[in-house]
Protein backbone atom coordinates (compact mmCIF):
# COMPACT_ATOMS: atom_id res chain seq x y z
CA UNK A 1 0.00 0.00 0.00
CA UNK A 2 1.19 3.48 -0.78
CA UNK A 3 0.15 7.05 -0.20
CA UNK A 4 -1.78 6.90 -3.47
CA UNK A 5 -4.43 4.83 -1.73
CA UNK A 6 -4.94 7.55 0.85
CA UNK A 7 -4.92 10.24 -1.84
CA UNK A 8 -7.75 8.68 -3.81
CA UNK A 9 -9.56 7.31 -0.76
CA UNK A 10 -9.67 10.63 1.05
CA UNK A 11 -13.26 11.82 1.43
CA UNK A 12 -11.93 15.35 0.88
CA UNK A 13 -10.84 14.50 -2.66
CA UNK A 14 -12.67 17.22 -4.62
CA UNK A 15 -14.57 14.84 -6.85
CA UNK A 16 -18.15 15.44 -5.82
CA UNK A 17 -18.65 12.49 -3.48
CA UNK A 18 -19.90 14.60 -0.58
CA UNK A 19 -23.09 15.47 -2.49
CA UNK A 20 -24.18 11.83 -2.83
CA UNK A 21 -25.54 9.51 -0.15
CA UNK A 22 -25.61 6.36 -2.28
CA UNK A 23 -29.31 5.81 -1.64
CA UNK A 24 -28.99 6.30 2.11
CA UNK A 25 -31.04 9.49 2.25
CA UNK A 26 -33.99 7.85 0.56
CA UNK A 27 -33.68 4.78 2.79
CA UNK A 28 -33.87 7.19 5.74
CA UNK A 29 -36.91 8.90 4.27
CA UNK A 30 -38.61 5.49 3.86
CA UNK A 31 -37.78 4.63 7.47
CA UNK A 32 -35.57 1.74 6.41
CA UNK A 33 -32.48 3.16 8.09
CA UNK A 34 -33.07 4.71 11.51
CA UNK A 35 -30.41 3.38 13.88
CA UNK A 36 -26.92 1.88 13.80
CA UNK A 37 -28.21 -1.67 13.28
CA UNK A 38 -30.24 -0.71 10.23
CA UNK A 39 -27.33 1.40 8.96
CA UNK A 40 -25.07 -1.65 9.26
CA UNK A 41 -27.57 -3.79 7.35
CA UNK A 42 -27.85 -1.12 4.66
CA UNK A 43 -24.08 -0.88 4.24
CA UNK A 44 -23.59 -4.65 4.12
CA UNK A 45 -26.33 -5.02 1.52
CA UNK A 46 -24.87 -2.23 -0.54
CA UNK A 47 -21.32 -3.53 -0.25
CA UNK A 48 -22.07 -7.12 -1.25
CA UNK A 49 -24.47 -5.99 -3.99
CA UNK A 50 -23.49 -2.99 -6.06
CA UNK A 51 -20.25 -2.64 -4.10
CA UNK A 52 -18.96 -5.95 -5.45
CA UNK A 53 -19.76 -4.79 -8.98
CA UNK A 54 -18.14 -1.39 -8.49
CA UNK A 55 -15.03 -3.04 -7.07
CA UNK A 56 -14.77 -5.47 -9.99
CA UNK A 57 -15.09 -2.68 -12.54
CA UNK A 58 -12.51 -0.55 -10.73
CA UNK A 59 -10.18 -3.56 -10.77
CA UNK A 60 -10.71 -4.35 -14.44
CA UNK A 61 -10.29 -0.66 -15.29
CA UNK A 62 -6.98 -0.69 -13.41
CA UNK A 63 -5.85 -3.72 -15.40
CA UNK A 64 -6.98 -2.02 -18.61
CA UNK A 65 -5.11 1.21 -17.78
CA UNK A 66 -2.03 -0.83 -16.92
CA UNK A 67 0.87 0.07 -14.68
CA UNK A 68 2.67 2.31 -17.17
CA UNK A 69 1.36 4.91 -19.62
CA UNK A 70 -2.34 4.40 -20.26
CA UNK A 71 -3.07 2.84 -23.67
CA UNK A 72 -4.47 5.16 -26.34
CA UNK A 73 -6.80 2.42 -27.51
CA UNK A 74 -8.64 0.53 -24.79
CA UNK A 75 -12.06 -1.08 -24.40
CA UNK A 76 -13.42 1.80 -22.28
CA UNK A 77 -16.67 1.94 -24.26
CA UNK A 78 -17.27 -1.79 -23.75
CA UNK A 79 -16.66 -1.53 -20.01
CA UNK A 80 -18.90 1.54 -19.87
CA UNK A 81 -21.73 -0.36 -21.56
CA UNK A 82 -21.27 -3.37 -19.29
CA UNK A 83 -21.52 -1.22 -16.15
CA UNK A 84 -24.51 0.62 -17.60
CA UNK A 85 -26.23 -2.73 -18.04
CA UNK A 86 -25.53 -3.60 -14.40
CA UNK A 87 -26.96 -0.32 -13.06
CA UNK A 88 -30.70 -0.69 -13.48
CA UNK A 89 -31.89 2.66 -12.11
CA UNK A 90 -31.35 5.61 -14.42
CA UNK A 91 -30.75 8.03 -11.50
CA UNK A 92 -28.05 5.67 -10.20
CA UNK A 93 -26.37 5.69 -13.61
CA UNK A 94 -26.55 9.50 -13.61
CA UNK A 95 -25.05 9.68 -10.12
CA UNK A 96 -22.22 7.35 -11.13
CA UNK A 97 -21.48 9.40 -14.24
CA UNK A 98 -21.64 12.72 -12.35
CA UNK A 99 -19.03 11.47 -9.90
CA UNK A 100 -17.00 9.94 -12.71
CA UNK A 101 -16.95 13.26 -14.53
CA UNK A 102 -15.71 15.03 -11.41
CA UNK A 103 -13.07 12.41 -10.68
CA UNK A 104 -11.87 12.51 -14.28
CA UNK A 105 -11.40 16.28 -13.92
CA UNK A 106 -9.21 15.73 -10.88
CA UNK A 107 -7.26 12.90 -12.53
CA UNK A 108 -6.70 14.95 -15.67
CA UNK A 109 -5.27 17.79 -13.59
CA UNK A 110 -3.08 15.45 -11.55
CA UNK A 111 -1.79 13.32 -14.46
CA UNK A 112 -2.22 15.64 -17.45
CA UNK A 113 -0.34 13.62 -20.05
CA UNK A 114 -2.65 10.59 -19.90
CA UNK A 115 -5.42 10.07 -22.51
CA UNK A 116 -8.37 10.71 -20.19
CA UNK A 117 -10.56 11.83 -23.08
CA UNK A 118 -10.73 8.21 -24.19
CA UNK A 119 -12.89 7.43 -21.14
CA UNK A 120 -15.59 9.86 -22.32
CA UNK A 121 -16.83 13.10 -20.80
CA UNK A 122 -18.91 11.47 -18.06
CA UNK A 123 -17.54 7.98 -17.50
CA UNK A 124 -18.77 5.76 -14.69
CA UNK A 125 -17.07 6.52 -11.40
CA UNK A 126 -15.69 3.03 -10.81
CA UNK A 127 -13.99 2.97 -14.21
CA UNK A 128 -12.25 6.33 -13.71
CA UNK A 129 -11.36 5.31 -10.20
CA UNK A 130 -9.63 2.16 -11.45
CA UNK A 131 -7.73 4.05 -14.13
CA UNK A 132 -6.74 6.84 -11.73
CA UNK A 133 -5.60 4.25 -9.18
CA UNK A 134 -2.90 3.04 -11.56
CA UNK A 135 -1.62 6.60 -11.97
CA UNK A 136 -1.36 6.72 -8.17
CA UNK A 137 0.80 3.56 -8.35
CA UNK A 138 -1.91 1.21 -7.13
CA UNK A 139 -2.79 -2.21 -8.49
CA UNK A 140 -6.15 -3.78 -9.33
CA UNK A 141 -6.79 -5.08 -5.81
CA UNK A 142 -6.14 -1.66 -4.34
CA UNK A 143 -8.41 -0.10 -6.94
CA UNK A 144 -11.09 -2.55 -5.80
CA UNK A 145 -10.47 -1.60 -2.17
CA UNK A 146 -10.99 2.05 -3.09
CA UNK A 147 -14.27 1.28 -4.83
CA UNK A 148 -15.54 -0.97 -2.03
CA UNK A 149 -14.73 1.48 0.75
CA UNK A 150 -16.20 4.33 -1.27
CA UNK A 151 -19.48 2.43 -1.43
CA UNK A 152 -19.81 2.34 2.36
CA UNK A 153 -18.01 5.51 3.46
CA UNK A 154 -20.21 7.92 1.51
CA UNK A 155 -23.51 6.65 2.93
CA UNK A 156 -22.02 6.42 6.43
CA UNK A 157 -20.96 10.05 6.26
CA UNK A 158 -24.42 11.01 5.03
CA UNK A 159 -25.98 9.12 7.94
CA UNK A 160 -24.03 11.25 10.41
CA UNK A 161 -25.47 14.37 8.80
CA UNK A 162 -29.05 13.17 8.31
CA UNK A 163 -29.64 11.19 11.52
CA UNK A 164 -27.27 12.98 13.94
CA UNK A 165 -25.53 9.70 14.74
CA UNK A 166 -22.51 9.81 17.00
CA UNK A 167 -19.64 9.93 14.49
CA UNK A 168 -17.55 7.68 16.73
CA UNK A 169 -20.28 5.04 16.71
CA UNK A 170 -20.44 5.26 12.92
CA UNK A 171 -16.67 4.83 12.79
CA UNK A 172 -17.10 1.65 14.84
CA UNK A 173 -19.53 0.42 12.16
CA UNK A 174 -17.01 1.32 9.44
CA UNK A 175 -14.25 -0.47 11.33
CA UNK A 176 -16.42 -3.60 11.25
CA UNK A 177 -16.98 -2.97 7.53
CA UNK A 178 -13.28 -2.80 6.73
CA UNK A 179 -12.84 -6.58 6.74
CA UNK A 180 -15.87 -6.96 4.52
CA UNK A 181 -14.47 -4.34 2.12
CA UNK A 182 -11.19 -6.23 1.90
CA UNK A 183 -13.01 -9.47 1.21
CA UNK A 184 -15.20 -7.94 -1.49
CA UNK A 185 -12.16 -6.29 -3.06
CA UNK A 186 -10.17 -9.50 -3.04
CA UNK A 187 -12.93 -11.41 -4.80
CA UNK A 188 -13.54 -8.52 -7.21
CA UNK A 189 -9.87 -8.39 -8.16
CA UNK A 190 -9.81 -12.15 -8.73
CA UNK A 191 -12.86 -11.92 -10.99
CA UNK A 192 -11.37 -8.96 -12.84
CA UNK A 193 -8.08 -10.79 -13.51
CA UNK A 194 -9.91 -13.79 -14.91
CA UNK A 195 -12.08 -11.69 -17.18
CA UNK A 196 -9.26 -9.39 -18.24
CA UNK A 197 -7.21 -12.33 -19.43
CA UNK A 198 -9.80 -13.30 -22.07
CA UNK A 199 -11.66 -9.99 -22.54
CA UNK A 200 -15.02 -11.59 -21.89
CA UNK A 201 -16.50 -8.56 -20.13
CA UNK A 202 -19.94 -10.10 -19.85
CA UNK A 203 -18.60 -12.40 -17.16
CA UNK A 204 -17.82 -9.53 -14.81
CA UNK A 205 -19.89 -9.74 -11.60
CA UNK A 206 -23.50 -8.63 -11.97
CA UNK A 207 -24.90 -8.39 -8.46
CA UNK A 208 -27.60 -5.85 -7.83
CA UNK A 209 -29.56 -4.38 -4.96
CA UNK A 210 -33.19 -3.97 -5.92
CA UNK A 211 -33.96 -1.93 -2.83
CA UNK A 212 -31.24 0.56 -3.77
CA UNK A 213 -32.62 0.81 -7.29
CA UNK A 214 -36.01 1.64 -5.83
CA UNK A 215 -34.46 4.25 -3.51
CA UNK A 216 -32.60 5.80 -6.44
CA UNK A 217 -35.76 6.02 -8.54
CA UNK A 218 -37.87 7.45 -5.71
CA UNK A 219 -35.23 9.97 -4.66
CA UNK A 220 -35.56 12.14 -7.75
CA UNK A 221 -39.25 12.61 -6.97
CA UNK A 222 -38.79 13.72 -3.35
CA UNK A 223 -39.58 17.35 -2.69
CA UNK A 224 -36.98 17.97 0.01
CA UNK A 225 -33.60 16.29 -0.40
CA UNK A 226 -30.11 17.17 0.76
CA UNK A 227 -28.15 14.75 -1.40
CA UNK A 228 -28.12 14.40 -5.17
CA UNK A 229 -28.53 10.63 -4.85
CA UNK B 1 1.82 -3.64 -6.28
CA UNK B 2 3.97 -2.01 -8.88
CA UNK B 3 6.76 -0.78 -6.73
CA UNK B 4 9.20 -0.86 -9.60
CA UNK B 5 7.43 1.25 -12.16
CA UNK B 6 7.65 4.88 -13.00
CA UNK B 7 4.45 6.73 -12.10
CA UNK B 8 1.92 7.19 -14.87
CA UNK B 9 3.30 10.10 -16.78
CA UNK B 10 6.77 8.72 -16.88
CA UNK B 11 8.95 11.44 -15.44
CA UNK B 12 7.18 14.31 -17.17
CA UNK B 13 5.26 15.02 -14.01
CA UNK B 14 4.47 18.66 -13.57
CA UNK B 15 3.96 20.39 -10.27
CA UNK B 16 2.26 23.30 -11.94
CA UNK B 17 -1.42 23.53 -10.99
CA UNK B 18 -3.92 24.25 -13.76
CA UNK B 19 -3.34 27.80 -14.98
CA UNK B 20 -5.99 30.32 -13.95
CA UNK B 21 -8.41 31.29 -16.68
CA UNK B 22 -7.28 34.07 -18.94
CA UNK B 23 -9.69 36.97 -18.39
CA UNK B 24 -12.12 37.15 -21.29
CA UNK B 25 -11.42 33.61 -22.47
CA UNK B 26 -14.63 32.29 -20.90
CA UNK B 27 -17.66 33.81 -19.13
CA UNK B 28 -16.92 35.78 -15.97
CA UNK B 29 -18.04 33.89 -12.86
CA UNK B 30 -19.29 35.95 -9.94
CA UNK B 31 -19.99 34.24 -6.62
CA UNK B 32 -22.67 35.54 -4.28
CA UNK B 33 -22.48 34.14 -0.77
CA UNK B 34 -23.87 34.99 2.63
CA UNK B 35 -26.00 33.76 5.52
CA UNK B 36 -29.52 32.34 5.16
CA UNK B 37 -32.12 35.02 4.53
CA UNK B 38 -29.71 37.87 3.84
CA UNK B 39 -31.29 38.49 0.43
CA UNK B 40 -28.96 36.69 -1.96
CA UNK B 41 -31.66 35.32 -4.24
CA UNK B 42 -33.56 38.60 -4.39
CA UNK B 43 -30.29 40.32 -5.31
CA UNK B 44 -29.59 37.74 -8.02
CA UNK B 45 -33.09 38.33 -9.40
CA UNK B 46 -32.52 42.10 -9.38
CA UNK B 47 -29.18 41.75 -11.16
CA UNK B 48 -30.72 39.49 -13.79
CA UNK B 49 -33.54 41.96 -14.44
CA UNK B 50 -31.07 44.80 -14.97
CA UNK B 51 -28.37 42.91 -16.87
CA UNK B 52 -30.26 40.35 -18.97
CA UNK B 53 -30.96 42.84 -21.77
CA UNK B 54 -27.30 43.75 -22.15
CA UNK B 55 -25.48 40.48 -21.49
CA UNK B 56 -25.93 36.76 -21.94
CA UNK B 57 -26.43 35.50 -18.38
CA UNK B 58 -26.82 32.26 -16.49
CA UNK B 59 -27.28 31.44 -12.80
CA UNK B 60 -26.24 28.45 -10.70
CA UNK B 61 -27.99 28.05 -7.34
CA UNK B 62 -26.77 25.95 -4.41
CA UNK B 63 -29.77 25.30 -2.22
CA UNK B 64 -29.23 23.46 1.02
CA UNK B 65 -32.19 21.31 0.06
CA UNK B 66 -34.98 21.44 -2.53
CA UNK B 67 -34.54 23.72 -5.50
CA UNK B 68 -36.28 26.64 -3.81
CA UNK B 69 -33.92 29.35 -5.06
CA UNK B 70 -33.82 28.04 -8.62
CA UNK B 71 -37.61 27.73 -8.58
CA UNK B 72 -37.91 31.31 -7.29
CA UNK B 73 -35.73 32.62 -10.10
CA UNK B 74 -37.64 30.62 -12.71
CA UNK B 75 -40.98 31.83 -11.31
CA UNK B 76 -39.71 35.42 -11.27
CA UNK B 77 -39.15 35.06 -15.00
CA UNK B 78 -35.87 36.97 -14.87
CA UNK B 79 -34.09 34.38 -17.02
CA UNK B 80 -35.11 31.57 -19.34
CA UNK B 81 -35.41 28.31 -17.40
CA UNK B 82 -32.55 26.74 -19.33
CA UNK B 83 -30.21 29.44 -18.02
CA UNK B 84 -30.76 28.43 -14.40
CA UNK B 85 -29.13 25.33 -12.91
CA UNK B 86 -29.45 23.98 -9.36
CA UNK B 87 -26.65 22.11 -7.60
CA UNK B 88 -27.34 19.88 -4.60
CA UNK B 89 -24.91 20.26 -1.77
CA UNK B 90 -25.19 17.23 0.52
CA UNK B 91 -25.80 19.30 3.67
CA UNK B 92 -22.60 21.27 3.02
CA UNK B 93 -23.22 24.50 1.08
CA UNK B 94 -19.72 25.80 1.79
CA UNK B 95 -18.15 22.56 0.55
CA UNK B 96 -19.95 22.93 -2.77
CA UNK B 97 -18.43 26.34 -3.49
CA UNK B 98 -15.11 26.03 -1.68
CA UNK B 99 -13.65 22.60 -0.83
CA UNK B 100 -15.17 20.51 -3.61
CA UNK B 101 -16.39 22.69 -6.45
CA UNK B 102 -16.92 19.85 -8.91
CA UNK B 103 -20.73 19.97 -8.93
CA UNK B 104 -20.65 23.70 -9.59
CA UNK B 105 -17.97 23.37 -12.26
CA UNK B 106 -20.13 20.76 -14.01
CA UNK B 107 -23.10 23.13 -13.91
CA UNK B 108 -21.04 26.07 -15.21
CA UNK B 109 -19.56 23.96 -18.01
CA UNK B 110 -22.99 22.65 -19.02
CA UNK B 111 -24.46 26.17 -19.11
CA UNK B 112 -21.52 27.43 -21.18
CA UNK B 113 -21.92 24.52 -23.60
CA UNK B 114 -25.65 25.19 -23.99
CA UNK B 115 -25.12 28.95 -24.36
CA UNK B 116 -21.82 29.57 -26.13
CA UNK B 117 -22.33 33.35 -26.02
CA UNK B 118 -22.44 33.57 -22.21
CA UNK B 119 -20.89 36.70 -20.71
CA UNK B 120 -21.59 36.10 -17.05
CA UNK B 121 -22.44 33.22 -14.75
CA UNK B 122 -23.71 34.15 -11.30
CA UNK B 123 -23.15 31.42 -8.73
CA UNK B 124 -25.31 31.79 -5.63
CA UNK B 125 -24.21 29.81 -2.61
CA UNK B 126 -26.56 28.17 -0.16
CA UNK B 127 -27.08 30.17 3.00
CA UNK B 128 -24.13 29.55 5.27
CA UNK B 129 -22.16 31.31 7.97
CA UNK B 130 -19.55 34.08 8.06
CA UNK B 131 -16.71 31.71 7.22
CA UNK B 132 -18.02 30.94 3.74
CA UNK B 133 -15.97 31.94 0.73
CA UNK B 134 -15.88 30.78 -2.86
CA UNK B 135 -12.89 28.92 -4.20
CA UNK B 136 -10.96 31.00 -6.71
CA UNK B 137 -11.21 27.91 -8.89
CA UNK B 138 -14.93 28.52 -9.15
CA UNK B 139 -15.58 32.26 -8.83
CA UNK B 140 -13.37 34.93 -10.41
CA UNK B 141 -14.79 37.53 -8.06
CA UNK B 142 -17.17 37.18 -5.16
CA UNK B 143 -19.50 39.25 -3.05
CA UNK B 144 -20.74 38.45 0.44
CA UNK B 145 -24.24 39.55 1.40
CA UNK B 146 -25.19 40.21 5.02
CA UNK B 147 -28.18 42.16 6.22
CA UNK B 148 -28.94 44.53 9.06
CA UNK B 149 -31.38 42.20 10.79
CA UNK B 150 -28.55 40.24 12.37
CA UNK B 151 -27.58 43.40 14.21
CA UNK B 152 -24.88 45.97 13.53
CA UNK B 153 -22.24 43.75 15.15
CA UNK B 154 -22.00 41.34 12.20
CA UNK B 155 -19.23 43.12 10.23
CA UNK B 156 -16.93 43.26 13.23
CA UNK B 157 -17.41 39.54 13.84
CA UNK B 158 -15.30 39.13 10.72
CA UNK B 159 -14.86 35.70 9.21
CA UNK B 160 -13.48 35.06 5.75
CA UNK B 161 -16.82 35.89 4.11
CA UNK B 162 -16.68 39.40 5.53
CA UNK B 163 -12.94 39.95 5.30
CA UNK B 164 -11.95 38.20 2.06
CA UNK B 165 -14.82 38.88 -0.34
CA UNK B 166 -14.27 41.35 -3.17
CA UNK B 167 -17.47 43.23 -2.29
CA UNK B 168 -19.33 43.22 1.01
CA UNK B 169 -23.02 43.98 0.59
CA UNK B 170 -24.93 45.16 3.66
CA UNK B 171 -28.53 44.56 2.69
CA UNK B 172 -32.00 45.65 3.85
CA UNK B 173 -30.83 49.03 5.09
CA UNK B 174 -34.44 50.27 4.96
CA UNK B 175 -35.30 48.23 8.06
CA UNK B 176 -32.25 49.34 10.05
CA UNK B 177 -34.29 51.79 12.21
CA UNK B 178 -36.78 49.07 13.20
CA UNK B 179 -33.96 46.65 14.04
CA UNK B 180 -32.01 49.28 15.90
CA UNK B 181 -28.96 48.66 13.70
CA UNK B 182 -26.57 51.58 13.39
CA UNK B 183 -25.39 51.76 9.76
CA UNK B 184 -22.52 54.07 10.69
CA UNK B 185 -21.20 51.42 13.06
CA UNK B 186 -21.48 48.77 10.35
CA UNK B 187 -19.69 51.03 7.88
CA UNK B 188 -16.87 51.78 10.31
CA UNK B 189 -16.42 48.13 11.33
CA UNK B 190 -16.57 46.89 7.74
CA UNK B 191 -13.91 49.38 6.68
CA UNK B 192 -11.69 48.22 9.51
CA UNK B 193 -12.23 44.51 8.80
CA UNK B 194 -11.57 44.80 5.07
CA UNK B 195 -9.34 47.79 4.45
CA UNK B 196 -9.15 48.89 0.84
CA UNK B 197 -11.99 46.68 -0.40
CA UNK B 198 -15.46 48.01 -1.16
CA UNK B 199 -18.63 47.87 0.93
CA UNK B 200 -22.06 48.50 -0.57
CA UNK B 201 -25.17 49.44 1.42
CA UNK B 202 -28.29 48.20 -0.31
CA UNK B 203 -32.04 48.37 0.03
CA UNK B 204 -33.84 46.56 -2.77
CA UNK B 205 -37.04 48.26 -1.64
CA UNK B 206 -35.52 51.66 -2.33
CA UNK B 207 -33.29 50.56 -5.21
CA UNK B 208 -35.03 47.69 -7.04
CA UNK B 209 -32.25 47.61 -9.61
CA UNK B 210 -29.60 47.23 -6.87
CA UNK B 211 -27.81 50.17 -8.49
CA UNK B 212 -24.70 50.18 -6.34
CA UNK B 213 -24.13 46.43 -6.77
CA UNK B 214 -25.01 46.54 -10.45
CA UNK B 215 -22.37 49.21 -10.98
CA UNK B 216 -19.76 46.99 -9.31
CA UNK B 217 -20.80 44.00 -11.41
CA UNK B 218 -20.58 46.08 -14.59
CA UNK B 219 -17.04 47.09 -13.63
CA UNK B 220 -16.12 43.43 -13.19
CA UNK B 221 -17.61 42.45 -16.56
CA UNK B 222 -15.82 45.33 -18.29
CA UNK B 223 -12.48 44.45 -16.74
CA UNK B 224 -12.94 40.74 -17.51
CA UNK B 225 -13.90 41.28 -21.12
CA UNK B 226 -11.11 43.80 -21.61
CA UNK B 227 -8.70 41.14 -20.39
CA UNK B 228 -7.41 43.34 -17.60
CA UNK B 229 -6.80 41.97 -14.15
CA UNK B 230 -9.85 41.65 -11.98
CA UNK B 231 -9.31 42.93 -8.45
CA UNK B 232 -8.78 40.07 -6.09
CA UNK B 233 -9.01 40.40 -2.36
CA UNK B 234 -5.53 40.50 -0.86
CA UNK B 235 -4.55 37.06 0.44
CA UNK B 236 -4.27 38.30 3.99
CA UNK B 237 -3.38 35.56 6.46
CA UNK B 238 -6.36 34.96 8.71
CA UNK B 239 -4.26 35.50 11.80
CA UNK B 240 -3.36 39.02 10.77
CA UNK B 241 -7.01 39.67 9.93
CA UNK B 242 -7.90 38.63 13.44
CA UNK B 243 -5.18 40.94 14.68
CA UNK B 244 -6.59 43.93 12.86
CA UNK B 245 -10.03 43.08 14.21
CA UNK B 246 -8.70 43.28 17.71
CA UNK B 247 -6.87 46.50 16.99
Amino acid sequence: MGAGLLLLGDSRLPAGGYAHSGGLENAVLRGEVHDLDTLTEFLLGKLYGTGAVQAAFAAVAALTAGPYTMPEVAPWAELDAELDARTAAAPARAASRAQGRSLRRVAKAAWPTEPWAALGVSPHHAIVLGAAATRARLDEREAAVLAATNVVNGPASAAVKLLSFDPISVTVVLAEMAGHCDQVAEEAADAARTVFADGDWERLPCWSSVGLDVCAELHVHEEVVHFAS
Amino acid sequence: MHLDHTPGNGGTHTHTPPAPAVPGSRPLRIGIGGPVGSGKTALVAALCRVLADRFSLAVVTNDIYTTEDADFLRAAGVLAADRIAAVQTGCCPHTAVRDDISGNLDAVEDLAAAHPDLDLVIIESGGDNLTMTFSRGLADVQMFVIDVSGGDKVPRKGGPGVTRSDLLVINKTDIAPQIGADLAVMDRDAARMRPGTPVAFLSLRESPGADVVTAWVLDQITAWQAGTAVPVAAPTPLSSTAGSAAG
Side-chain angles (χ1 to χ4, degrees):
Chain A
M1 197 209 73
L5 198 59
L6 301 177
L7 174 76
L8 291 174
D10 192 333
S11 66
R12 293 165 297 187
L13 188 76
Y18 76 94
H20 295 267
S21 78
L24 187 277
E25 180 171 26
N26 205 263
V28 170
L29 286 170
R30 313 244 83 75
E32 302 285 344
V33 173
H34 50 81
D35 57 17
L36 290 172
D37 286 342
T38 48
L39 173 66
T40 303
E41 288 171 15
F42 176 92
L43 296 179
L44 281 172
K46 190 168 168 64
L47 176 61
Y48 282 98
T50 56
V53 175
Q54 302 295 315
F57 273 79
V60 84
L63 290 164
T64 301
Y68 303 104
T69 303
M70 272 163 61
E72 291 286 343
V73 178
W76 298 123
E78 288 87 337
L79 290 176
D80 188 272
E82 290 289 340
L83 190 45
D84 241 8
R86 286 163 174 76
T87 315
R93 292 197 294 276
S96 171
R97 291 188 181 285
Q99 293 175 81
R101 177 182 179 176
S102 298
L103 181 57
R104 199 195 74 151
R105 182 187 286 115
V106 172
K108 192 175 167 187
W111 300 288
T113 60
E114 300 289 344
W116 297 105
L119 276 70
V121 174
S122 298
H124 279 298
H125 181 259
I127 293 175
V128 192
L129 186 60
T134 64
R135 301 311 90 182
R137 310 187 71 175
L138 303 173
D139 65 14
E140 66 275 11
R141 188 188 61 83
E142 292 162 319
V145 169
L146 281 172
T149 51
N150 181 65
V151 156
V152 295
N153 287 355
S157 167
V160 172
K161 292 171 183 166
L162 292 171
L163 293 169
S164 306
F165 287 156
D166 173 1
I168 296 173
S169 300
V170 171
T171 301
V172 172
V173 171
L174 288 176
E176 291 168 2
M177 285 296 146
H180 292 284
C181 288
D182 281 339
Q183 184 184 332
V184 164
E186 198 75 53
E187 291 169 8
D190 284 344
R193 283 185 210 105
T194 305
V195 170
F196 183 71
D198 57 18
D200 191 4
W201 313 122
E202 288 180 13
R203 287 169 50 221
L204 282 162
C206 55
W207 308 106
S208 68
S209 308
V210 176
L212 284 172
D213 290 338
V214 172
C215 284
E217 294 283 2
L218 291 173
H219 196 64
V220 293
H221 300 294
E222 300 289 349
E223 191 180 344
V224 176
V225 295
H226 299 78
F227 291 85
S229 73
Chain B
M1 297 227 295
H2 335 106
L3 294 177
D4 55 344
H5 83 262
T6 310
N9 34 10
T12 58
H13 193 96
T14 170
H15 294 278
T16 312
V22 176
S25 66
R26 58 156 172 74
L28 174 67
R29 303 179 197 152
I30 294 184
I32 300 185
V36 175
S38 63
K40 295 182 296 298
T41 309
L43 176 57
V44 171
L47 290 171
C48 289
R49 281 190 202 97
V50 176
L51 298 171
D53 289 344
R54 297 173 56 186
F55 300 99
S56 177
L57 299 183
V59 173
V60 180
T61 63
N62 285 259
D63 284 299
I64 302 173
Y65 43 80
T66 77
T67 52
E68 181 89 20
D69 290 343
D71 293 344
F72 173 86
L73 291 172
R74 290 190 187 104
V78 292
L79 279 183
D82 69 349
R83 287 173 179 268
I84 302 167
V87 171
Q88 270 148 338
T89 58
C91 297
C92 297
H94 51 273
T95 303
V97 298
R98 187 186 60 202
D99 310 82
D100 185 348
I101 58 178
S102 50
N104 273 286
L105 288 177
D106 288 347
V108 169
E109 287 174 7
D110 290 345
L111 286 165
H115 306 282
D117 63 337
L118 270 189
D119 298 304
L120 172 65
V121 181
I122 296 173
I123 303 153
E124 180 190 347
S125 82
D128 211 271
N129 58 45
L130 300 178
T131 65
M132 202 227 75
T133 56
F134 284 79
S135 161
R136 296 285 171 192
L138 177 63
D140 301 303
V141 286
Q142 55 191 293
M143 66 179 87
F144 195 76
V145 183
I146 60 174
D147 76 301
V148 302
S149 64
D152 54 25
K153 64 189 179 299
V154 172
R156 70 172 167 268
K157 284 188 170 180
V162 169
T163 60
R164 306 283 293 272
S165 54
D166 299 295
L167 175 70
L168 178 67
V169 178
I170 298 175
N171 201 9
K172 307 184 191 177
T173 54
D174 50 294
I175 60 170
Q178 287 87 338
I179 301 296
D182 187 334
L183 296 180
V185 167
M186 297 183 88
D187 193 21
R188 184 197 67 205
D189 291 346
R192 200 182 69 209
M193 295 304 290
R194 36 184 297 117
T197 43
V199 178
F201 285 89
L202 178 67
S203 161
L204 284 173
R205 197 168 282 173
E206 294 161 5
S207 174
D211 297 350
V212 62
V213 178
T214 300
W216 182 84
V217 169
L218 287 171
D219 285 347
Q220 307 309 310
I221 296 173
T222 303
W224 183 259
Q225 294 189 340
T228 55
V230 173
V232 170
T236 319
L238 295 180
S239 54
S240 68
T241 306
S244 70

